[in-house]
């Protein structure tokens, strides 16, 4: 399936609609999208590990980016389900990199898979998520 929105277009959209977000769009292609979440003290929980909400937001953003890259920029596409498994402690002081992959593109929903890694350690994910997005009924997928 052809890409409907480039990484630059998606980053511009995300920066305009979510100026508070620190996650950036790294790349998109026909099969996947990569996003990057820098990690600082505000993303840590007691014990010095990256918080669950930070990893969930990263997974959700990676899914949103892969969905929009395939259907075009449809701001009202929304998360309808996010299931995440935390697999191991992220590396201290490393950004999170998340790879979103399109599993199924339907008329009303999109199923994605997201693997989150510590930057520099792409061999073992620190979390795995399956995220479903609802597509507004006014939007037609091609």
């Amino acid at each position: 399936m052809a890409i409907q929105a480039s990484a630059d277009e998606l980053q511009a959209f995300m920066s305009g609609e979510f100026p508070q977000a620190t996650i950036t769009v790294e790349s998109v292609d026909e099969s996947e999208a990569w996003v990057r979440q820098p990690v600082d003290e505000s993303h840590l929980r007691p014990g010095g590990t990256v918080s669950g909400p930070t990893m969930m937001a990263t997974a959700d953003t990676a899914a949103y980016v892969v969905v929009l890259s395939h259907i075009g920029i449809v701001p009202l596409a929304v998360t309808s389900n996010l299931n995440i498994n935390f697999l191991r402690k992220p590396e201290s002081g490393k950004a999170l990199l998340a790879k979103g992959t399109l599993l199924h593109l339907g008329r009303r929903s999109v199923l994605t898979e997201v693997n989150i890694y510590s930057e520099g350690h792409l061999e073992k994910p620190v979390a795995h998520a399956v995220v479903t997005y609802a597509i507004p009924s006014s939007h037609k997928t091609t």
Side-chain angles (χ1 to χ4, degrees):
M1 169 174 254
I3 294 297
Q4 302 296 312
S6 71
D8 289 341
E9 292 168 326
L10 290 162
Q11 182 58 52
F13 166 73
M14 297 297 285
S15 295
E17 294 297 318
F18 305 99
Q20 73 283 4
T22 57
I23 300 171
T24 56
V25 179
E26 296 288 298
S27 66
V28 297
D29 66 26
E30 290 79 18
S31 61
E32 62 192 30
W34 284 86
V35 301
R36 183 177 192 276
Q37 169 63 69
V39 174
D40 63 27
E41 291 293 320
S42 70
H43 300 105
L44 302 181
R45 64 176 302 280
T49 191
V50 178
S51 71
T54 297
M55 288 193 273
M56 287 183 270
T58 304
D60 192 34
T61 302
Y64 193 48
V65 168
V66 78
V67 167
L68 297 185
S69 74
H70 283 83
I71 69 170
I73 296 176
V74 179
L76 296 181
V78 296
T79 309
S80 61
N81 187 58
L82 189 153
N83 181 15
I84 191 165
N85 294 292
F86 303 106
L87 305 173
R88 61 190 45 81
K89 183 178 178 178
E91 287 286 320
S92 178
K94 301 276 187 178
L96 297 176
L97 296 175
K99 177 178 78 169
T101 306
L102 185 74
L103 296 178
H104 175 75
L105 175 59
R107 291 170 42 108
R108 292 282 180 96
S109 67
V110 183
L111 181 64
T112 67
E113 176 181 50
V114 178
N115 284 300
I116 302 174
Y117 304 90
S118 288
E119 189 170 45
H121 299 279
L122 299 181
E123 65 282 352
K124 288 188 177 182
V126 297
H128 173 265
V130 176
V131 186
T132 304
Y133 261 78
I135 302 169
S137 60
S138 62
H139 178 75
K140 302 250 192 257
T141 58
T142 55

